[in-house]
Amino acid sequence: MIFRYTILYVQDVKATLDFFNTAFGLKTAFLHESGDYGELDTGQTKLAFSSIELMQQLGKSPAIKPVTNPSFEIAFETEDVAAALAKAVQAGAEQVQEVQEMPWGQTTAYVRLPEGILVEICTAVQAP
């Protein structure tokens, strides 16, 4: 068994892919001609997006409004958290937590994307 992908449900797949391109420097790997499904180039495990409309057509019941109290987060690792945070905010993300040094040696910051997705921007966890 391998972890192949995560699909997040969004209102506008292309706009979300464009946001991730601008805010985090990730490239679009695939966008279906319908505009209802797309993937980012994130290595072996894909980060994908599906439109809420498509999920409704498939009989699923996705949340329609952006979540203000998320039950998950996604994280992007970088060597320069402050620069990545500034870039994400400039692209339209809402800053949730400023850059902080964690007791375990990791630097973190958090943003919320326009779709309500919570994103951690962090350095690698340093081995003791």
Side-chain angles (χ1 to χ4, degrees):
M1 190 79 70
I2 60 170
F3 181 37
R4 176 55 65 206
Y5 52 83
T6 295
I7 302 173
L8 302 177
Y9 303 153
V10 298
Q11 293 289 342
D12 186 331
V13 173
K14 181 170 183 343
T16 302
L17 291 170
D18 290 346
F19 180 86
F20 275 81
N21 297 163
T22 302
F24 302 110
L26 298 170
K27 303 294 182 209
T28 298
F30 173 77
L31 176 60
H32 188 270
E33 62 188 31
S34 68
D36 283 319
Y37 178 82
E39 297 176 349
L40 292 168
D41 182 3
T42 53
Q44 185 176 355
T45 303
K46 302 294 181 202
L47 179 55
F49 304 94
S50 181
S51 70
I52 290 172
E53 182 178 337
L54 176 61
M55 292 300 97
Q56 289 170 333
Q57 290 172 8
L58 295 174
K60 298 186 178 175
S61 299
I64 296 172
K65 295 181 181 178
V67 178
T68 56
N69 296 315
S71 59
F72 69 92
E73 68 183 61
I74 59 175
F76 293 117
E77 186 178 298
T78 181
E79 292 181 9
D80 190 343
V81 173
L85 173 63
K87 185 175 180 181
V89 169
Q90 182 178 16
E94 172 192 355
Q95 182 174 315
V96 175
Q97 176 199 297
E98 62 188 27
V99 177
Q100 293 184 2
E101 299 294 326
M102 297 293 113
W104 51 89
Q106 186 181 38
T107 303
T108 66
Y110 283 85
V111 295
R112 185 180 336 279
L113 281 49
E115 291 282 355
I117 301 164
L118 185 65
V119 177
E120 177 184 11
I121 303 168
C122 61
T123 57
V125 176
Q126 300 301 315

